[in-house]
Each structure stands twice: as structure tokens, then as C-alpha cells.
Amino acid sequence: MCGIIGCVSDKDCCGALYDGLKRLEYRGYDSAGIAVLGKTLSVCKKKGGVSNLSGFYAAGGTGIGHTRWATHGAPSDANAHPHTSGGFALVHNGIVENYAALKEELEGEGEVFSSETDSEVIVKLIARYFEGDFLGAVARAVGRLEGSYAIAVICEKFPGELVAAKKKSPLVAGEGRGGLFVCSDIPALSGIADYIAKAEDGEFVHIAKGEINFYDRALRPLSKTFFRTQEELRGAAVAGGGYFMRAEIAEIPRALSDTLSSLEDKDFAPCARILRGAKRMFAVACGTAYHSALVFRDTVEREAGIPVVCHTAGEFRYRPALVGPQDVVVAVSQSGETADTLEAAYLARSRGAFVIAVTNIGSSTLAAAADFTLVMRAGAEIAVAATKSYNCQLLCLLYLAAQLVFFKKDRFPDWFSALSSLAEGASAAMDCFSETDRLADCLKKARAIYYLGRGTDLCTAREGALKVKEIACVFAEGYPAGELKHGSLALVEEGFPVICVSTQKNLLKKSENALAEVRSRGGFCVLFSQYREALADSCAQFSCLLPILPEPLMPVVSVIPLQYFAYKMCIERGLDPDKPRNLAKSVTVE
Ligand code: AGP
């Protein structure tokens, strides 16, 4: 998604803005731009990477920057931000849903637009409403907007000042040695801002006279607490060298260990009564996080006997949800800023449900919206493809499931004590990497791959398929092994790759039957299992031995070779795993 940054400093801010945009790159983007206010306003904006701006320099301590992920109008120099009008320059993250009507109105008044974006209407409105009061003009303009926005605005008439506003898209303000900042997210301010405060919907940030001030929608001053940024988010965000995705896979054991320690310190008393009384639960999330929610559903239904309805958050929002006051809704999101997941959490709360958030960012909007929050300690995840956060989400959700079992049955499940072996198990799963290298070499030209699983292994299969689609751009489908012969088998022909994950003893034979069906049609079968006998008895042409852990914990480790396989496939196909085509890390619009 788009990322915005703004800076007011005593020194020239061009370099700080450029570095900030580099740190925002991970969110996903297709063009970038900077505006600096010196004696006049200088703007440089280009289609493509932030590095296209490296030749730009303008003196001045006030500026804004943007990474654009195109929604309205193709990626182009003209559509890139900042947009300017009447001495104002603006960057915007979000979608102005009523932009067509506003544009028509402004064109009727003689305005000429130079881009196809929805964002340009905002700066035109600000310029129209300006009567000497910078903050007032921005407030009046955003009062006309429907949809979502985080904006940062500078004005030629106000050197040393910046106004920002937010609704539904994230915005933080930070104080650091290099100046005063506004930004789309905390990781992007790592290393430059030591103290951060978050803006809430409808609020304004005004940087002037060396101070950051917050105002509510009626422009009454607000008092905000600035908090210190989390150490782990800073460290990881500035780590460099190689690909972030590879580094983040390598970090999984450390991330699991830290997450478990933080869970062990967590006091579940505030939700004990609710969990004890839970008769039905919902789990909502998007993408990879949704796959961890599926594992949660399976685990809770099997171990605690509580039915769990699992929805992608985008669907949950628009279904005639049965959710009500007796329900517990678990919302899972690495970033804690995914628009659909947030709206699902708000909807659940508005209906009286108790919302538990599982997120990597303790200061995120989702954490603030929830009744109870489990924060994983994965550290900053920069690669667009979620890896270590998935393993940590699974750990959090398994831990939560174990608490539910305890509250319902007065005992923890047998596997609870084995959670402490997960970090070691994750390291052991990496022993599969050299075989996985060979597999990627073998399949690098594949046009499509099926991933099969049964029971909880189906969640892992789905996540494996998502990863390879996302970064290696290979069509893949995660499919229930038993369903193959009900349709999808039709596509299997000579050499068609089918990867099967089989970690549940009672389902080994069933998975093997599916592979046999594939093999007899000429398919290329791959099997991942921790059971030697399953590998020995299999018809698979390629197999890989996973580490042994209690079966309910296997999803945390069995996915690791699949994450790595997707990474290797991506490298083999000459693609950049950290910047997948068309995708953004943080999906802050619907
Ligand atoms: C994962 O590899 C994807 N980038 C994507 O599916 C992601 O998991 C999804 O957008 C949800 O993000 P969140 O966990 O930050 O809410």
C-alpha cells in the first residue's frame, strides 16, 4: 500500500525523506516522490523504485514523501505523489470514494487536473478553502471526503510547518534527533524517531514552531502520550544484506522463542471468564493470517470442543453475521492495520462480542480496538511475504487454544509443554533446505502446482500454495487431498507437480491414496512427513523428512520447508522475493 512520510527539521530534510521512503518500500509500491520546501517548492516524482529519486536534491527543512501503490490511475510520473495546487503539496494513502463527484465539482469551477488519481482532489480542495489558516483549510477539505485517508500537507506560505490528518489509514507522529516526523508506520521511523504517538480517526497533526500538536475533528487541542518505539522493531527494520524474506525465515526459531516467553508472561485473567463461558467462537483474518486462523479453528474444535466459525475478514464484514454478545471473535493480523480485519473487529465489537487480537505490533490499531491482545514477538517483518509472523501467529493461537482447553476441562492439553520445543523443531525443519533446493531446481519451470493436505495439513498446504503464488508467480492451489478426484485431478498430466503434506498418523494412508491417484496419471509427487514409514511406503518421487513434534504442533514447523521452497522458486525464476508483483505488505484499504 501507499506509504507517506513528512518531516520538519532544522537541517535539509531531503536525505531523511529518501531514507524514510526506502524504509517504506516494504509496504509495496510502484512509484515514489518527494516534495521539499526551501525558498520555493521542489517536487520530484517518478514511476518505479525509490532509487529513481536518488539524483534529486533540494535544500529545505520541510518536506513530504510518498510511495504509491496504484489504485486510481496507472503507475506513471503524473499519477505519482506529491500532488500540488496553489502552493500546497500533498501525499495521500487511502481511497477517496467520492472523488469522481468532487472532481466534477472542481472541474466545473475551472480546476484542471494533471493526474488520474483520487488524491489530487484533496490538494485542490485545500487550495480552494485556504483563507490564511493552513490547518483550517485541511480540516475543511477532509470534511468533504468519503473513504480513507492519511495525508501530509506542506505549503509554500508556511515553511517549518506540516499538517497531517487521518481516517482509516494509519498515521503516526514521531520525535527524533533528525527532526519531527509523520509517517504511515512505526517500522519506517525506526532509527530516526525515538518517541512516537498515534493519530486516531478524525484527528489532525500540526507540526509548527518545533512542536508536534494533535487536534480533534473540531480542531480542539488534544494531549497525547508519546511512547518509546519497541527495540525489536527498530533492530530488525534496519538489518540489511541479502533478501529480507530469507533472513526472516532464518529468524523463525528466535521469533518462536521470544513469542513463547512473552506468552508465558501474559496474564489471561482478564479474559478467563469470557473463555470459560465461550460456546461459539469466530476467527477472522486475511491471507496468511487466515491460514493460521484455520489451524486455530481445527485445534479448538478438536481439543476444546467449541465450534469456531472461520472467515476471511473481507467476507465476514459483509455476511449477515450471526455474531453476538456471547461470542468470542479472534482477529489475527501481523500488521494490525489490515483494513478488512479492523472492520471485522469493529463490527464484532459493535455487536457486543469479545474481541481477541493476535498481532505482531502491540501499538497497532487492531490491538487498540480489541478487548484483549496477544502480541507475538516476531520482530519487524519487512518482506511482503509473511513467514516468521505466520509461525508466531500459530504459536499464539495454539497457546490460546490451550488456555481454552484449560478453562473448559481444567487441564492443559498433552502437547502444551512441548511448545518449548518448537524453536528447536523449527531449526531442525531447516535441515530439509538442501533437499528443498533440489526440489526448486527440479520444479523451477513448473506452470502450476497442487498442494494437498488433509485435516490441519490442509491449512499448511494452503499457506504453501499462497507463498509460491505470491512471490514465485506460479499458479498454485492448496486442496483437500480427498477432493482431488472430484474435479482437480483432470489437470494432472505427465510431470504435473503435486506436493503433499502429511503429518497426522490417522490420515497417512488417505494422503497416500491421493498421491497414488496422481502418480498413476503421470504426476510428479512430493511428500513431506515426519513419519519415516510414510515416506518409505509412498509412491512419491521426492520426499522430505520433517522433525518430530506432537501432531497438533506440526503446522508450525511443517510449513517452513514450504516457505523456503517458495523463496527458492522465486530466486530460480529470477524474481525479487521482497518485492512481489502487484502486492503490498500492509493492505490498509478495503
Ligand atoms: C502474506 O504472505 C501476505 N503478504 C498477505 O496474505 C497477508 O498475510 C495479509 O495481507 C494479511 O496481513 P496482516 O497479517 O498484516 O493482516
Side-chain angles (χ1 to χ4, degrees):
M1 291 290 106
C2 304
I4 68 167
I5 186 161
C7 173
V8 175
S9 172
D10 295 341
K11 308 180 199 83
D12 285 352
C13 67
C14 201
L17 291 172
Y18 181 82
D19 292 347
L21 292 184
K22 278 286 190 194
R23 281 189 295 269
L24 284 168
E25 275 187 313
Y26 80 99
R27 292 167 66 93
Y29 72 106
D30 42 48
S31 43
I34 288 177
V36 172
L37 185 54
K39 288 205 175 87
T40 54
L41 197 57
S42 309
V43 180
C44 177
K45 49 186 203 157
K46 291 196 187 303
K47 177 183 169 184
V50 171
S51 50
N52 289 344
L53 307 175
S54 62
F56 170 72
Y57 189 83
T62 304
I64 50 179
H66 191 258
T67 50
R68 175 172 188 253
W69 191 79
T71 56
H72 296 66
S76 69
D77 292 358
N79 289 334
H81 301 210
H83 295 290
T84 55
S85 184
F88 291 88
L90 164 136
V91 288
H92 168 225
N93 170 25
I95 292 178
V96 181
E97 288 170 359
N98 59 335
Y99 88 98
L102 291 171
K103 190 167 180 178
E104 199 181 312
E105 174 188 318
L106 287 161
E107 281 174 334
E109 291 168 7
E111 292 288 349
V112 178
F113 283 77
S114 48
S115 78
E116 302 157 279
T117 66
D118 54 332
S119 311
E120 198 181 354
V121 299
I122 313 175
V123 73
K124 294 249 185 242
L125 283 173
I126 294 170
R128 287 233 142 208
Y129 290 146
F130 180 67
E131 290 170 341
D133 174 5
F134 186 7
L135 178 60
V138 174
R140 225 178 128 195
V142 300
R144 302 281 321 272
L145 307 180
E146 286 165 21
S148 56
Y149 57 80
I151 57 168
V153 192
I154 55 175
C155 177
E156 276 179 345
K157 293 196 172 71
F158 296 88
E161 293 195 29
L162 182 151
V163 175
K166 105 144 213 142
K167 184 179 152 201
K168 292 188 178 170
S169 295
L171 179 72
V172 296
E175 296 178 350
R177 283 140 287 172
L180 306 175
F181 297 88
V182 292
C183 193
S184 292
D185 67 24
I186 296 172
L189 285 184
S190 65
I192 57 168
D194 303 318
Y195 289 90
I196 303 277
K198 287 182 65 186
E200 303 299 336
D201 280 355
E203 291 181 356
F204 298 88
V205 181
H206 188 188
I207 301 180
K209 300 188 181 124
E211 283 181 6
I212 301 175
N213 290 300
F214 283 79
Y215 296 89
D216 69 7
R217 61 185 80 228
L219 298 186
R220 288 177 299 232
L222 291 168
S223 114
K224 285 269 175 181
T225 309
F226 281 70
F227 56 89
R228 230 184 141 71
T229 51
Q230 281 174 35
E231 289 300 326
E232 70 269 27
L233 284 183
R234 295 152 158 233
V238 292
Y243 290 110
F244 277 109
M245 185 181 177
R246 180 67 188 90
E248 287 162 7
I249 291 172
E251 262 198 288
I252 292 169
R254 191 279 308 148
L256 287 169
S257 239
D258 288 357
T259 298
L260 184 59
S261 307
S262 108
L263 288 168
E264 285 167 346
D265 290 343
K266 184 79 185 172
D267 179 9
F268 281 80
C271 64
R273 189 182 53 80
I274 300 287
L275 294 185
R276 199 166 278 125
K279 297 212 163 40
R280 178 180 64 169
M281 299 182 77
F282 290 82
V284 294
C286 299
T288 287
Y290 172 68
H291 297 146
S292 69
L294 290 173
V295 174
F296 177 72
R297 178 196 65 190
D298 287 7
T299 312
V300 171
E301 290 191 344
R302 188 184 61 236
E303 311 266 345
I306 305 169
V308 182
V309 181
C310 196
H311 285 301
T312 56
E315 290 303 310
F316 181 83
R317 290 175 66 173
Y318 294 107
R319 292 173 80 95
L322 295 169
V323 65
Q326 304 302 320
D327 296 320
V328 177
V329 175
V330 180
V332 191
S333 171
Q334 184 282 130
S335 60
E337 303 295 347
T338 298
D340 283 330
T341 311
L342 282 175
E343 290 300 326
Y346 294 144
L347 172 71
R349 281 206 64 174
S350 73
R351 295 195 174 204
F354 186 87
V355 175
I356 299 179
V358 175
T359 179
N360 196 23
I361 312 291
S363 53
S364 63
T365 311
L366 180 63
D371 295 289
F372 186 75
T373 302
L374 295 179
V375 182
M376 53 183 134
R377 298 282 176 211
E381 188 173 70
I382 302 299
V384 170
T387 54
K388 60 177 179 169
S389 68
Y390 179 67
N391 310 75
C392 292
Q393 267 157 16
L394 288 174
L395 170 53
C396 287
L397 291 166
L398 287 165
Y399 201 93
L400 180 62
Q403 302 301 316
L404 273 159
V405 174
F406 177 76
F407 289 129
K408 290 282 174 193
K409 302 189 172 170
D410 233 19
R411 57 159 183 83
F412 281 106
D414 299 344
W415 46 262
F416 185 61
S417 58
L419 289 173
S420 58
S421 320
L422 274 176
E424 204 182 317
S427 299
M430 294 179 187
D431 292 346
C432 295
F433 284 3
S434 52
E435 277 149 296
T436 316
D437 283 339
R438 284 199 297 117
L439 183 63
D441 185 47
C442 205
L443 297 185
K444 62 187 174 211
K445 298 222 167 78
R447 292 217 305 268
I449 305 175
Y450 281 160
Y451 285 72
L452 301 184
R454 295 202 67 152
T456 310
D457 290 326
L458 176 57
C459 314
T460 310
R462 287 193 162 138
E463 176 56 10
L466 177 65
K467 283 287 90 87
V468 87
K469 263 191 291 210
E470 198 176 11
I471 57 164
C473 293
V474 177
F475 173 77
E477 192 173 12
Y479 214 71
E483 277 287 298
L484 202 57
K485 55 186 167 300
H486 295 289
S488 295
L489 194 57
L491 294 193
V492 173
E493 55 185 0
E494 197 61 34
F496 189 103
V498 176
I499 297 177
C500 181
V501 183
S502 188
T503 70
Q504 298 147 99
K505 203 156 204 162
N506 64 329
L507 292 169
L508 292 179
K509 287 273 179 310
K510 307 286 176 199
S511 303
E512 185 53 32
N513 290 346
L515 284 184
E517 288 160 7
V518 170
R519 181 79 198 260
S520 56
R521 270 108 191 145
F524 178 78
C525 299
V526 179
L527 178 62
F528 287 88
S529 180
Q530 76 278 39
Y531 293 113
R532 281 181 190 281
E533 65 274 24
L535 301 182
D537 296 346
S538 176
C539 65
Q541 293 99 315
F542 196 100
S543 60
C544 197
L545 185 66
L546 296 168
I548 297 176
L549 286 162
E551 285 184 1
L553 308 190
M554 283 306 290
V556 183
V557 295
S558 57
V559 75
I560 294 173
L562 303 187
Q563 293 166 328
Y564 179 76
F565 172 69
Y567 164 81
K568 276 308 275 197
M569 285 287 281
C570 172
I571 298 293
E572 293 282 0
R573 292 162 72 90
L575 301 169
D576 181 341
D578 291 344
K579 298 192 183 76
R581 186 170 69 189
N582 303 338
L583 298 178
K585 179 71 178 165
S586 191
V587 185
T588 52
V589 294
E590 184 175 349

